[in-house]
């Protein structure tokens, strides 16, 4: 499953975002460093289910919307200078080792300083938060690179190792792949022996840019000054969010008060509300009208589809009825990286199926496709293998 980290400075609303997205009960409080141990939960991307396009009924979607799981990790807050031990330090960045992408939650209302302490609305410039997170991530990678740099260089020279392969192995624990390292070296300079401290820092930055793709959530948009939100959108392509409002909606929906699907632009009231609830939901509705949604779903979809470049495919066993062997219509929707081939998909379903792959069928076109066919978004695919 795709893993996505939720990072940012303390008190920005990371755990609120996480709780609203995963409905996992976690601690939320108006002071820095509420979260210390990482929280892990399941959130969902929301897509139009292919059943409508095919004119069949499936049991896996809600009102035509398919929710596909991704793993979310909410980690401790990071402050400037964390790499040098400020705040809780940056050891917990280790929790992001497996994350393919990062959602950076920033307090767009500017009501918390760089350490997460409360200040007046608009008193702090949240753009600074985006920058320092980058810097802290860079320093983290720099620290790891630097630890063994001289020895690694010697080994590359003496043992005639391929530098890209060798460094990728050294960084494998952080999820780096060869192309990240290759491109980063190209950007900084191919003569590794000439790397001093500043080149190594740049190298770390280039690596981070390629490995740690981010989406910025301009959170607390419900109380943020417009100019701060606009600035975050302009500079960082941020998405305005209100994690607090999403949480209100999710809880109200769970308790049967409203009908609301994550990402919706409105909700329907299903049972009588008391005055307080009514008032709260009115404020939330005004926000939805203004921003189109709470933004939480947009952020999750954006990181998975736009930034990490995933597509959705539907494996089936029966290419005419679009079912599995038990007759379930479109039983699975899976996220695969753009560029995944039919044979890769077979391996993802099961190693054995990959190994004994014969051909696949594009169920929409009823067309036989080969192992090197590159999957497209919303493809419905039957894999034919000797394994079954
Ligand atoms: N108005 C408003 N308040 C929010 C929003 N999201 C979170 N908050 C509040 O911000 C405070 C901090 O929220 P948390 O989710 O605990 O923040 P965090 O980033 O996880 O903080 P640490 O775990 O300490 O790093 C709490 O008082 C939340 O209720 C939001 O969208 N709007
Ligand atoms: Mg937290």
């Amino acid at each position: 499953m795709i893993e996505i980290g939720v990072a940012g400075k303390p008190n920005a609303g990371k755990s609120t975002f996480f709780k609203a997205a995963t409905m996992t009960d976690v601690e939320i409080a108006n002071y820095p460093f509420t979260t210390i141990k990482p929280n892990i939960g399941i959130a969902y991307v929301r897509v139009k289910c292919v059943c409508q396009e095919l004119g069949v009924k499936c049991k896996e979607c809600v009102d035509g919307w398919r929710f596909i799981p991704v793993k979310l990790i909410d980690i401790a807050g990071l402050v400037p200078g964390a790499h040098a031990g400020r705040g809780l330090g940056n050891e917990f960045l280790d929790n992001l080792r497996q994350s393919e992408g990062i959602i950076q939650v920033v307090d767009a209302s500017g009501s918390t300083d760089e350490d997460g302490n409360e200040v007046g609305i608009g008193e702090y410039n949240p753009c600074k938060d985006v920058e320092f997170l980058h810097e802290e991530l860079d320093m983290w990678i720099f620290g790891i690179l630097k630890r063994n740099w001289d020895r690694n260089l010697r080994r590359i020279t003496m043992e005639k190792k391929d530098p890209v392969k060798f460094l990728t192995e050294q960084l494998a624990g952080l999820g780096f792949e060869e192309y990240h390292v290759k491109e980063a070296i190209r950007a900084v300079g191919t003569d590794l022996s000439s790397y001093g401290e500043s080149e190594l820092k740049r190298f770390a930055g280039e690596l981070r840019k390629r490995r740690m793709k981010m989406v910025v959530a301009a959170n607390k948009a419900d109380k943020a000054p417009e100019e701060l939100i606009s600035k975050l959108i302009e500079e960082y392509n941020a998405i305005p969010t209100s994690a607090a409002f999403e949480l209100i909606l999710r809880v109200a929906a769970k308790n049967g008060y409203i009908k609301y699907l994550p990402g919706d632009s409105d909700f329907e009231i299903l049972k009588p509300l008391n005055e307080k609830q009514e008032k709260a939901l009115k404020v939330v509705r005004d926000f939805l009208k203004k921003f189109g949604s709470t933004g939480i779903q947009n952020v999750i979809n954006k990181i998975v589809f736009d930034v990490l470049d995933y597509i959705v495919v539907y494996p089936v066993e029966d290419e005419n009825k679009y079912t599995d062997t038990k007759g379930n219509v479109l039983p699975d929707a899976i996220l695969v990286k753009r560029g995944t081939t039919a044979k890769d998909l077979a391996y993802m379903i099961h190693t054995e199926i990959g190994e004994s792959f014969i051909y696949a069928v594009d169920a929409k076109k009823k067309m036989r496709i080969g192992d090197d066919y590159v999957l497209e978004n919303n493809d419905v695919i039957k894999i034919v293998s000797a394994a079954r």
Side-chain angles (χ1 to χ4, degrees):
M1 199 182 294
I2 309 174
E3 218 172 284
I4 294 159
V6 181
K9 79 176 177 194
N11 222 353
K14 298 180 297 298
S15 296
T16 310
F17 185 109
F18 173 86
K19 184 171 179 174
T22 64
M23 290 300 275
T24 314
D25 202 15
V26 295
E27 207 176 332
I28 292 171
N30 189 20
Y31 49 78
F33 304 121
T34 306
T35 309
I36 294 174
K37 278 209 178 114
N39 299 305
I40 299 172
I42 302 293
Y44 299 85
V45 292
R46 170 178 171 159
V47 294
K48 264 218 158 73
C49 183
V50 80
C51 68
Q52 296 173 313
E53 182 189 331
L54 298 174
V56 293
K57 276 211 157 56
C58 86
K59 287 198 187 121
E60 311 299 326
C61 65
V62 189
D63 300 340
W65 297 103
R66 191 98 172 194
F67 291 88
I68 309 169
V70 296
K71 200 161 156 191
L72 219 57
I73 303 183
D74 165 39
I75 66 167
L78 194 72
V79 299
H83 68 275
R86 280 197 76 233
L88 296 180
N90 67 356
E91 276 162 48
F92 56 87
L93 282 178
D94 267 0
N95 297 323
L96 294 178
R97 274 169 188 271
Q98 309 295 328
S99 295
E100 278 184 54
I102 297 176
I103 293 170
Q104 181 181 9
V105 179
V106 304
D107 175 354
S109 72
S111 66
T112 41
D113 69 13
E114 68 262 35
D115 291 338
N117 298 307
E118 220 175 341
V119 294
I121 287 181
E123 280 179 24
Y124 179 79
N125 173 10
C127 291
K128 287 204 265 181
D129 294 346
V130 183
E131 299 298 336
F132 91 67
L133 179 68
H134 291 170
E135 267 167 49
E136 290 303 326
L137 287 167
D138 292 356
M139 289 307 287
W140 177 53
I141 297 170
F142 169 73
I144 293 163
L145 280 174
K146 198 179 163 201
R147 222 174 295 154
N148 298 315
W149 187 251
D150 292 338
R151 202 189 58 186
N152 284 343
L153 267 193
R154 264 200 310 278
R155 285 192 62 190
I156 289 169
T157 324
M158 311 270 279
E159 298 170 31
K160 295 201 169 46
K161 290 195 180 287
D162 174 349
V164 172
K165 280 211 171 71
F166 183 73
L167 287 174
T168 307
E169 273 165 36
Q170 300 291 309
L171 290 165
L174 303 186
F176 282 100
E177 293 185 36
E178 278 186 23
Y179 74 94
H180 297 131
V181 176
K182 195 173 177 175
E183 287 176 19
I185 289 179
R186 207 179 290 148
V188 183
T190 45
D191 180 13
L192 294 178
S193 63
S194 71
Y195 281 22
E197 189 112 329
S198 80
E199 284 78 13
L200 214 48
K201 270 187 196 150
R202 267 178 52 214
F203 185 36
E206 295 292 339
L207 285 168
R208 185 261 307 158
K209 265 188 240 166
R210 289 166 175 81
R211 163 71 183 83
M212 290 157 178
K213 301 273 176 69
M214 293 194 206
V215 168
V216 175
N219 196 41
K220 306 193 190 178
D222 52 275
K223 60 171 190 184
E226 302 232 342
E227 64 275 17
L228 288 185
I229 297 178
S230 308
K231 195 106 212 234
L232 285 163
I233 294 174
E234 235 168 73
E235 306 246 329
Y236 305 105
N237 233 333
I239 295 178
T241 61
S242 175
F245 285 2
E246 176 72 6
L247 188 55
I248 291 175
L249 290 170
R250 294 289 297 263
V251 171
K254 190 176 165 211
N255 294 325
Y257 286 102
I258 61 169
K259 182 172 180 208
Y260 168 77
L261 291 180
D264 278 354
S265 55
D266 201 1
F267 54 86
E268 189 188 325
I269 294 169
L270 299 177
K271 64 184 188 193
L273 305 166
N274 65 35
E275 209 175 307
K276 204 173 143 210
Q277 291 167 325
E278 201 164 317
K279 231 169 141 184
L281 283 176
K282 161 101 180 44
V283 177
V284 175
R285 180 165 270 154
D286 290 343
F287 182 90
L288 295 177
K289 280 215 179 93
K290 185 165 170 206
F291 288 93
S293 73
T294 66
I296 303 302
Q297 189 65 60
N298 295 5
V299 168
I300 299 169
N301 271 39
K302 181 169 174 174
I303 192 143
V304 171
F305 296 119
D306 300 350
V307 174
L308 298 175
D309 217 9
Y310 276 84
I311 57 170
V312 182
V313 298
Y314 298 79
V316 294
E317 308 262 1
D318 182 323
E319 71 270 39
N320 296 309
K321 294 191 185 126
Y322 312 117
T323 59
D324 62 11
T325 47
K326 295 179 204 111
N328 300 308
V329 179
L330 299 166
D332 300 306
I334 57 177
L335 293 165
V336 301
K337 275 259 190 210
R338 192 178 293 282
T340 299
T341 63
K343 191 164 183 177
D344 296 333
L345 177 68
Y347 271 101
M348 283 176 200
I349 295 168
H350 202 287
T351 316
E352 215 174 282
I353 294 173
E355 278 165 358
S356 54
F357 178 95
I358 305 170
Y359 65 93
V361 179
D362 176 334
K364 281 183 182 170
K365 296 191 185 129
K366 313 285 182 240
M367 223 171 72
R368 196 170 155 149
I369 51 182
D371 54 0
D372 58 353
Y373 169 83
V374 177
L375 301 171
E376 281 176 31
N377 190 42
N378 278 342
D379 268 352
V380 182
I381 302 288
K382 173 193 165 89
I383 306 277
V384 179
S385 84
R388 58 178 95 171

